[in-house]
Amino acid sequence: MSTKMKSEINVQYRKSKKMSTQNQFTYQLKDFLYNMTKDELNEIRKILKIKGISKLKKDDLIDYLEKFILNDLEGIIKKQLNEKEVLFLSKLIENQGALDYHEEFSCYIEKFEKLGLAFLSTVEDGQKVIVMPYNIRECIGKISFLSKVKNTNDYKNQWIEIIKVLLYYYGVIYAEDAHRITEKLYGKSIGFYDYLESVIKIKNEIYNYDKQNKIVYLKEVINPLYIYKEQNSRIIDYFPVTKDMVEQFENQELTDIEREFLDILINTYGVLPKEAENILKLYINRIKNGYTLEQSMKNIFTLIKFKENKDMKEFLGNLVYVYNNTNMWALKGYTPEKLAKACEKKKSSIVNRNKIGRNEPCPCGSGKKYKNCCGK
């Protein structure tokens, strides 16, 4: 959320009642409670098991609820919230008491509103935002056990970042292998069950867990079991991922070779940037998913206009170079070039994928044999 958005929160509830436009950090719990009906306030009272105040007028009830919640905040959090809800609460505090609303947060905000901990609001452009009252945030900051929860969350996030890097290189990995490598990179012992529940099984947009086969795999892997089977045919360990690689890893960053190929598509062959990105993505995705060189290049030539036959031959050379220098999931994260060097004494474990037979059809789609076309 931008600083501007944070400073221009204009609270608007289901009843379309608006508070005066002011800095969201100054909103107190009382300000939010005033926008609730008497029935909604009584629901909070019942959840918190407060007796003897049902006949109070709305203003008096609001005053009582605010004092009660602030005085018993630690008890409310411990009794009413589970671990995931506490972690979400910590995330809200870390973001200065405001988070953009997403559908997956609905279960949290519904419960938080009924406890007076946070409320669903909207900003002037209609964006929904989860806002925590200032005095609630101030009190929560003094609760010691929440700092322990935050520390726990911090190191679990480190484990998650590590497995993201592992999957970038491997695509698929056996859960116990992921735990073993993560533990090595983290530098401390990690309980397998804790790792399984906190990292492997969590719902996310990047990877899935196959419980039956006990493998973790990226969502863009087309056939996880095929990749896993190919990996098991290798008599070499996974490509070594280092701490530096984890620290420097950026999910959307291109490799030097991919960036070079993208530049060639744009500057040498005149492909529009967006189309060039799509061609690169298609080609790399095929390579990583275990396609042969010929399969990976299928239809790629038809997406580019060549002036002369020699241009096609040069482009083919570029495709082969990218293929041989791309980290492949089926090769346990190695490129064919690096695997060849790592397995010099184990030649039987190498599958040679980087050559086109002279009598095979040319991958450019001309219909001629390779030796009579781009292979001249």
Side-chain angles (χ1 to χ4, degrees), residues 106-117:
S106 60
C107 58
Y108 298 117
I109 190 59
E110 184 177 346
K111 188 168 185 178
F112 287 2
E113 282 188 338
K114 291 179 180 179
L115 294 171
L117 300 177

Side-chain angles (χ1 to χ4, degrees), residues 47 90 95 196 236 253 263 268 285 303 313 320 358:
I47 291 173
S90 298
N95 208 52
L196 191 67
I236 193 169
E253 192 71 23
D263 288 340
T268 303
N285 184 264
L303 301 175
K313 188 173 182 179
V320 172
R358 289 181 54 74

Side-chain angles (χ1 to χ4, degrees), residues 20-35:
S20 59
T21 303
Q22 55 178 321
N23 190 302
Q24 62 96 2
F25 297 111
T26 67
Y27 289 141
Q28 307 290 312
L29 174 57
K30 184 184 297 185
D31 297 322
F32 291 90
L33 296 179
Y34 270 121
N35 283 278

Side-chain angles (χ1 to χ4, degrees), residues 182-236:
T182 299
E183 198 172 53
K184 181 179 178 181
L185 290 169
Y186 182 61
K188 297 179 183 178
S189 178
I190 301 172
F192 180 72
Y193 178 78
D194 193 16
Y195 182 78
L196 191 67
E197 295 297 320
S198 304
V199 179
I200 301 295
K201 291 184 177 181
I202 61 168
K203 291 184 179 179
N204 64 92
E205 298 178 353
I206 298 174
Y207 57 86
N208 288 325
Y209 176 54
D210 181 341
K211 186 177 180 180
Q212 182 177 351
N213 294 290
K214 298 180 180 180
I215 57 174
V216 193
Y217 61 93
L218 284 177
K219 291 189 175 181
E220 56 258 49
V221 176
I222 297 171
N223 189 338
L225 289 179
Y226 165 76
I227 297 294
Y228 184 54
K229 182 179 179 181
E230 285 290 302
Q231 289 177 347
N232 284 337
S233 70
R234 314 288 162 190
I235 54 175
I236 193 169

Side-chain angles (χ1 to χ4, degrees), residues 112 142 150 209 213 235 243 276 284 300 320 331 353-354 358:
F112 287 2
K142 299 175 183 178
K150 181 181 179 300
Y209 176 54
N213 294 290
I235 54 175
K243 289 183 179 180
I284 296 298
I300 296 290
V320 172
L331 301 186
R353 300 168 179 259
N354 62 355
R358 289 181 54 74

Side-chain angles (χ1 to χ4, degrees), residues 37-85:
T37 65
K38 182 80 179 290
D39 287 341
E40 288 171 331
L41 293 172
N42 273 318
E43 187 173 2
I44 294 176
R45 176 186 63 80
K46 291 176 182 177
I47 291 173
L48 297 178
K49 297 180 180 179
I50 306 172
K51 297 180 180 180
I53 62 169
S54 59
K55 294 182 180 181
L56 289 179
K57 292 181 179 180
K58 183 176 179 179
D59 287 359
D60 294 332
L61 180 57
I62 288 172
D63 286 339
Y64 191 98
L65 286 174
E66 183 179 54
K67 290 177 183 177
F68 182 91
I69 292 170
L70 292 173
N71 289 334
D72 194 35
L73 194 54
E74 183 170 351
I76 291 171
I77 292 172
K78 285 183 175 180
K79 292 175 185 176
Q80 301 286 346
L81 304 185
N82 59 36
E83 184 181 358
K84 287 185 178 180
E85 290 163 345

